[in-house]
Amino acid sequence: MPDPSSPPVVGAAALWSSSDTAGFGDQLLPWLVREEIGARLPGWRITTLAPLGWNASPNTAVTDTAEPLGPSDAGRRHRLAETTTFTLVAPSFPLAGKPGSLTARYGDDRAEGAAGLLDHGLGADLETDHPVVWSGVRVAPFPSEEVVRAAARQPRCAVRDQRSRTRLLTSARRLDPAVELDPVVLPHPGILAGRWLDEAAMTSLRRQLRQLGRLPADDGYVVLPSAVPGSAGPELVERLTGRLRRALTSAGRPGPVPPVVVLPTGPAVTDAPSWLAPTPPGEAYRLPAGLVVEDRLAVLAGASLVIAGDEHTAAASAGVGTPWVLFDPEGEDSPAIREFGRPEQVAPTLGGLPAAVRAALAPVDAPSPVTLARRRLDEHFDAVALIAEETLGRRGGHLDRRAVELAAENTALREANSRLRQRVLLERGELVEALTSAWQETREARGETDQVRAELEAERAAHAAAAAREAELRRELEAWQHTKLVRWTRPLRDAYGKVRDS
């Protein structure tokens, strides 16, 4: 990727995220932020950056390639400021974490160099002409003075929950009461997921997963998380499944528990053959971990109820209109839920699951919390787009003829990329058709082979039985021939034979 040495003649935005890992939130947040900003700033170039970027381990569930953020030295900060007009910060993990937190998260010490950029921005000198905007981040406990001052420099500082806002304000009062800071609490952008979904594509993706034996035959299943912090993964699914009947009955939906689908929560990727593993009758459908964001959203859109294990799954479920409950035994994600859901939808324990399910399935008076949260998100992205346009004007950017040509080219490339992605989805559908057909033929051939083997085994058994019977008759004949009666009557029988022949 080229690294321009002069300011862009058209608008260019940088999106700092965690899109180089395959967690659901890591993929969902940058995708939605990019779509919302791109819709408000047509023709702008939006570059996604992440701690390791394309240097991260290859992962099939990563939707887009990201540029490495790199270390936060002066040279790198100047290059980042010159390359784009403004910067949006939207990682899934909390900012201002403990030293080494990114190394632990990525398993690679190269990621730690990006912490200085994510936490401290580009610096006060560069941010006078290049604003850095937090777009719904979370803040770890006890942020440092540098983090507080970085937040105060921003023209619009948006955090994802009230707890993050309180942490910033408390640290600001403790470190320097003169710091002027008023963070905006922004709902999770995942509630906008339904705005950017193609219903036909979602239906097609679910059909493909059904053909692979990974989803029940019909929609209306219940989605469970594969793991939750503080809970054992395999045991969690069994325990949650055991509570579903009581929860649904208490919510006025008695009867058998709908089919259960286990959605992967982590970024791990399974081997390709596991995609074709059929689900035994009566067991939970376990989705493979290598699912891109569209696959996961398609699964959530077809469910009748989602038991979410994190804020991202809960927000995406709300975004596609599926009733949801957050199972949060550690209370880590509950603060973010309050911005678009009701506290009653959070189950801190298994015992609280029935009440949370009743709250999730109960009718909601209009306007719903999600509707109000979407309005707040639209106001935020409108304000960010205005900041971007004003910054471009101050930096001398103007839409001259070359800029118009570049914008048109950028739009054409975006359209081509969108069409290419749709074609990839269609080709994947054709591949799934071919794979499932070959899989079915293989199963039928194996069945025929097993039948032939069974028939051959039966013939071998019959032959062995006949041989044993023949041996038994021979033994009986030999025993009869050696009896006294046969020996003593032999001369008489010989004489009789001669008389009869004569």
Coordinates of all heavy atoms in Angstrom, one line a residue, residues 452-498:
V452 N -23.1 -54.2 0.7 CA -22.4 -55.3 0.0 C -21.5 -56.1 1.0 O -21.5 -57.3 1.0 CB -21.6 -54.7 -1.2 CG1 -20.7 -55.8 -1.7 CG2 -22.6 -54.2 -2.2
R453 N -20.8 -55.3 1.9 CA -20.0 -56.0 2.8 C -20.8 -56.9 3.8 O -20.4 -58.0 4.2 CB -19.2 -54.9 3.6 CG -18.1 -54.3 2.9 CD -17.4 -53.2 3.7 NE -16.3 -52.6 3.0 CZ -15.6 -51.5 3.3 NH1 -16.0 -50.9 4.5 NH2 -14.6 -51.1 2.6
A454 N -22.0 -56.4 4.2 CA -22.9 -57.1 5.1 C -23.4 -58.4 4.4 O -23.4 -59.5 5.0 CB -24.1 -56.3 5.5
E455 N -23.7 -58.3 3.1 CA -24.2 -59.4 2.3 C -23.0 -60.5 2.2 O -23.2 -61.7 2.3 CB -24.7 -59.0 0.9 CG -26.0 -58.2 1.0 CD -26.4 -57.7 -0.4 OE1 -25.6 -57.9 -1.3 OE2 -27.5 -57.1 -0.4
L456 N -21.8 -59.9 1.9 CA -20.7 -60.8 1.7 C -20.4 -61.5 3.0 O -20.1 -62.7 3.1 CB -19.5 -60.0 1.3 CG -18.2 -60.8 1.1 CD1 -18.3 -61.9 0.0 CD2 -17.0 -59.9 0.7
E457 N -20.5 -60.8 4.1 CA -20.3 -61.4 5.4 C -21.3 -62.5 5.7 O -21.0 -63.5 6.3 CB -20.3 -60.3 6.5 CG -19.8 -60.8 7.9 CD -18.4 -61.2 7.9 OE1 -17.6 -60.7 7.1 OE2 -18.0 -62.0 8.7
A458 N -22.5 -62.2 5.3 CA -23.6 -63.2 5.5 C -23.3 -64.5 4.7 O -23.5 -65.6 5.2 CB -25.0 -62.6 5.2
E459 N -22.9 -64.3 3.4 CA -22.5 -65.4 2.6 C -21.4 -66.2 3.2 O -21.4 -67.5 3.2 CB -22.2 -65.0 1.2 CG -23.4 -64.4 0.4 CD -23.0 -63.9 -1.0 OE1 -21.8 -64.0 -1.3 OE2 -23.9 -63.5 -1.7
R460 N -20.4 -65.5 3.7 CA -19.3 -66.2 4.3 C -19.7 -67.0 5.6 O -19.3 -68.1 5.8 CB -18.2 -65.2 4.8 CG -17.4 -64.6 3.6 CD -16.5 -63.5 4.1 NE -15.7 -63.0 3.0 CZ -14.8 -62.0 3.1 NH1 -14.7 -61.3 4.3 NH2 -14.1 -61.6 2.1
A461 N -20.6 -66.4 6.3 CA -21.1 -67.1 7.5 C -21.9 -68.3 7.1 O -21.8 -69.4 7.7 CB -22.0 -66.1 8.3
A462 N -22.7 -68.2 6.0 CA -23.5 -69.4 5.5 C -22.6 -70.4 5.0 O -22.8 -71.7 5.2 CB -24.5 -68.9 4.4
H463 N -21.5 -70.0 4.3 CA -20.6 -71.0 3.7 C -19.8 -71.7 4.9 O -19.6 -72.9 4.9 CB -19.5 -70.3 2.9 CG -18.4 -71.2 2.4 ND1 -18.6 -72.2 1.4 CD2 -17.1 -71.3 2.7 CE1 -17.5 -72.8 1.2 NE2 -16.6 -72.3 2.0
A464 N -19.5 -71.0 5.9 CA -18.8 -71.6 7.1 C -19.7 -72.5 7.8 O -19.3 -73.6 8.2 CB -18.3 -70.5 8.0
A465 N -21.0 -72.2 7.9 CA -22.0 -73.1 8.5 C -22.2 -74.3 7.7 O -22.3 -75.5 8.2 CB -23.3 -72.3 8.7
A466 N -22.2 -74.2 6.3 CA -22.4 -75.4 5.5 C -21.1 -76.3 5.6 O -21.3 -77.5 5.6 CB -22.6 -74.9 4.0
A467 N -20.0 -75.7 5.6 CA -18.7 -76.5 5.7 C -18.7 -77.2 7.1 O -18.3 -78.4 7.2 CB -17.5 -75.6 5.6
A468 N -19.1 -76.5 8.1 CA -19.2 -77.2 9.4 C -20.2 -78.3 9.4 O -19.9 -79.4 10.0 CB -19.6 -76.1 10.5
R469 N -21.3 -78.1 8.8 CA -22.3 -79.2 8.7 C -21.8 -80.4 7.9 O -22.0 -81.5 8.3 CB -23.6 -78.6 8.0 CG -24.7 -79.7 7.9 CD -25.2 -80.2 9.2 NE -26.3 -81.2 9.1 CZ -26.6 -82.0 10.0 NH1 -26.0 -82.0 11.2 NH2 -27.6 -82.9 9.8
E470 N -21.1 -80.1 6.8 CA -20.5 -81.2 6.0 C -19.5 -82.0 6.8 O -19.5 -83.2 6.8 CB -19.8 -80.6 4.8 CG -19.2 -81.7 3.9 CD -18.5 -81.1 2.7 OE1 -18.4 -79.8 2.7 OE2 -18.0 -81.9 1.9
A471 N -18.7 -81.3 7.6 CA -17.7 -81.9 8.4 C -18.4 -82.8 9.5 O -17.9 -83.9 9.8 CB -16.8 -80.9 9.1
E472 N -19.4 -82.3 10.0 CA -20.2 -83.0 11.0 C -20.8 -84.3 10.4 O -20.7 -85.4 11.0 CB -21.3 -82.1 11.6 CG -22.1 -82.8 12.7 CD -21.3 -83.1 13.9 OE1 -20.2 -82.5 14.1 OE2 -21.7 -84.0 14.7
L473 N -21.3 -84.2 9.2 CA -21.9 -85.4 8.5 C -20.8 -86.4 8.2 O -21.1 -87.6 8.4 CB -22.6 -85.0 7.3 CG -23.9 -84.1 7.5 CD1 -24.5 -83.7 6.1 CD2 -25.0 -85.0 8.2
R474 N -19.6 -85.9 7.8 CA -18.6 -86.9 7.6 C -18.2 -87.6 8.8 O -17.9 -88.8 8.8 CB -17.4 -86.1 7.0 CG -17.5 -85.6 5.5 CD -16.3 -85.0 5.0 NE -16.4 -84.5 3.7 CZ -16.3 -85.3 2.6 NH1 -15.9 -86.6 2.7 NH2 -16.4 -84.8 1.4
R475 N -18.1 -86.8 9.9 CA -17.7 -87.5 11.2 C -18.8 -88.5 11.6 O -18.5 -89.6 12.0 CB -17.6 -86.5 12.3 CG -16.3 -85.6 12.2 CD -16.1 -84.8 13.5 NE -17.1 -83.9 13.8 CZ -17.2 -82.7 13.3 NH1 -16.2 -82.2 12.5 NH2 -18.2 -81.9 13.6
E476 N -20.1 -88.2 11.4 CA -21.1 -89.2 11.7 C -21.1 -90.4 10.8 O -21.3 -91.5 11.2 CB -22.5 -88.5 11.5 CG -22.8 -87.4 12.6 CD -24.1 -86.8 12.4 OE1 -24.8 -87.2 11.4 OE2 -24.5 -85.9 13.2
L477 N -20.8 -90.2 9.5 CA -20.6 -91.3 8.5 C -19.5 -92.2 8.9 O -19.6 -93.5 8.9 CB -20.4 -90.8 7.1 CG -20.2 -91.9 6.0 CD1 -21.5 -92.8 5.9 CD2 -20.0 -91.2 4.7
E478 N -18.3 -91.6 9.2 CA -17.2 -92.4 9.6 C -17.5 -93.2 10.9 O -17.1 -94.4 11.1 CB -16.0 -91.5 9.8 CG -15.4 -91.0 8.5 CD -14.3 -90.0 8.7 OE1 -13.9 -89.8 9.9 OE2 -13.7 -89.5 7.8
A479 N -18.2 -92.6 11.9 CA -18.5 -93.2 13.1 C -19.5 -94.4 12.8 O -19.4 -95.5 13.4 CB -19.2 -92.2 14.1
W480 N -20.4 -94.2 11.9 CA -21.4 -95.3 11.6 C -20.7 -96.4 10.9 O -21.0 -97.6 11.2 CB -22.5 -94.7 10.7 CG -23.5 -95.7 10.2 CD1 -24.5 -96.2 10.9 CD2 -23.5 -96.3 8.9 NE1 -25.2 -97.1 10.2 CE2 -24.6 -97.2 8.9 CE3 -22.8 -96.2 7.8 CZ2 -25.0 -97.9 7.8 CZ3 -23.1 -96.9 6.7 CH2 -24.2 -97.8 6.7
Q481 N -19.7 -96.1 10.0 CA -19.0 -97.2 9.3 C -18.2 -98.0 10.2 O -17.9 -99.2 9.9 CB -18.1 -96.5 8.2 CG -18.9 -96.0 7.0 CD -18.0 -95.3 6.0 OE1 -16.9 -95.0 6.3 NE2 -18.6 -95.1 4.8
H482 N -17.8 -97.5 11.3 CA -17.0 -98.2 12.3 C -17.8 -98.9 13.4 O -17.2 -99.5 14.3 CB -15.9 -97.3 12.9 CG -14.9 -96.9 11.9 ND1 -15.0 -95.9 11.1 CD2 -13.6 -97.4 11.7 CE1 -13.9 -95.7 10.4 NE2 -13.0 -96.7 10.7
T483 N -19.1 -98.9 13.3 CA -19.9 -99.6 14.3 C -19.8 -101.1 14.0 O -19.6 -101.6 12.9 CB -21.3 -99.2 14.2 OG1 -21.9 -99.4 12.9 CG2 -21.5 -97.7 14.6
K484 N -20.1 -102.0 15.1 CA -20.1 -103.4 14.9 C -21.1 -103.9 14.0 O -20.9 -104.9 13.2 CB -20.3 -104.1 16.3 CG -19.2 -103.8 17.3 CD -19.5 -104.5 18.6 CE -18.3 -104.3 19.6 NZ -18.6 -104.9 20.9
L485 N -22.3 -103.3 14.0 CA -23.4 -103.7 13.1 C -22.9 -103.7 11.6 O -23.2 -104.6 10.9 CB -24.6 -102.9 13.3 CG -25.8 -103.1 12.4 CD1 -26.3 -104.6 12.7 CD2 -26.9 -102.1 12.7
V486 N -22.3 -102.6 11.3 CA -21.8 -102.4 9.9 C -20.7 -103.4 9.6 O -20.7 -104.0 8.5 CB -21.4 -101.0 9.7 CG1 -20.8 -100.8 8.3 CG2 -22.5 -100.0 9.8
R487 N -19.8 -103.6 10.5 CA -18.7 -104.5 10.2 C -19.2 -106.0 10.1 O -18.8 -106.7 9.2 CB -17.6 -104.4 11.3 CG -16.9 -103.0 11.3 CD -15.6 -103.1 12.0 NE -15.7 -103.8 13.3 CZ -15.9 -103.2 14.5 NH1 -16.1 -101.8 14.5 NH2 -16.0 -103.8 15.6
W488 N -20.0 -106.4 11.0 CA -20.5 -107.8 11.0 C -21.4 -108.1 9.9 O -21.5 -109.3 9.5 CB -21.2 -108.1 12.4 CG -20.2 -108.1 13.5 CD1 -18.9 -108.0 13.5 CD2 -20.6 -108.1 14.9 NE1 -18.3 -108.0 14.7 CE2 -19.3 -108.1 15.7 CE3 -21.8 -108.2 15.6 CZ2 -19.3 -108.1 17.1 CZ3 -21.7 -108.3 17.0 CH2 -20.5 -108.2 17.7
T489 N -22.2 -107.2 9.4 CA -23.1 -107.5 8.3 C -22.5 -107.2 7.0 O -23.2 -107.3 6.0 CB -24.4 -106.6 8.5 OG1 -24.0 -105.2 8.4 CG2 -25.1 -106.9 9.8
R490 N -21.2 -106.8 6.9 CA -20.6 -106.5 5.6 C -20.6 -107.8 4.7 O -20.9 -107.7 3.5 CB -19.2 -106.0 5.8 CG -18.6 -105.5 4.5 CD -17.4 -104.7 4.8 NE -16.8 -104.3 3.5 CZ -15.7 -103.5 3.4 NH1 -15.1 -103.1 4.5 NH2 -15.3 -103.2 2.2
P491 N -20.2 -109.0 5.2 CA -20.2 -110.1 4.2 C -21.6 -110.4 3.7 O -21.7 -110.7 2.5 CB -19.7 -111.3 5.1 CG -18.9 -110.6 6.2 CD -19.6 -109.3 6.5
L492 N -22.6 -110.3 4.6 CA -23.9 -110.6 4.1 C -24.4 -109.5 3.1 O -25.0 -109.9 2.0 CB -24.9 -110.6 5.3 CG -26.4 -110.8 5.0 CD1 -26.6 -112.2 4.4 CD2 -27.2 -110.7 6.3
R493 N -24.0 -108.3 3.3 CA -24.4 -107.2 2.3 C -23.6 -107.4 1.0 O -24.2 -107.1 0.0 CB -24.1 -105.8 3.0 CG -25.1 -105.5 4.0 CD -24.9 -104.0 4.6 NE -23.7 -103.9 5.4 CZ -22.6 -103.3 5.1 NH1 -22.5 -102.7 3.9 NH2 -21.6 -103.3 5.9
D494 N -22.4 -107.8 1.1 CA -21.6 -108.1 -0.2 C -22.3 -109.2 -0.9 O -22.4 -109.2 -2.2 CB -20.2 -108.4 0.2 CG -19.4 -107.2 0.7 OD1 -20.0 -106.0 0.5 OD2 -18.3 -107.4 1.3
A495 N -22.7 -110.3 -0.2 CA -23.3 -111.5 -0.9 C -24.6 -111.0 -1.5 O -24.9 -111.4 -2.7 CB -23.5 -112.6 0.1
Y496 N -25.3 -110.3 -0.8 CA -26.6 -109.8 -1.3 C -26.4 -108.9 -2.6 O -27.2 -109.0 -3.5 CB -27.4 -109.0 -0.2 CG -28.6 -108.3 -0.7 CD1 -29.8 -109.1 -0.9 CD2 -28.6 -106.9 -1.0 CE1 -30.9 -108.4 -1.4 CE2 -29.8 -106.3 -1.5 CZ -30.9 -107.1 -1.7 OH -32.1 -106.5 -2.2
G497 N -25.4 -108.2 -2.6 CA -25.1 -107.3 -3.7 C -24.8 -108.2 -4.9 O -25.2 -107.8 -6.1
K498 N -24.0 -109.2 -4.8 CA -23.6 -110.1 -5.9 C -24.9 -110.8 -6.5 O -25.0 -110.9 -7.7 CB -22.6 -111.1 -5.5 CG -21.2 -110.5 -5.2 CD -20.2 -111.5 -4.7 CE -18.9 -110.9 -4.4 NZ -17.9 -111.9 -4.0

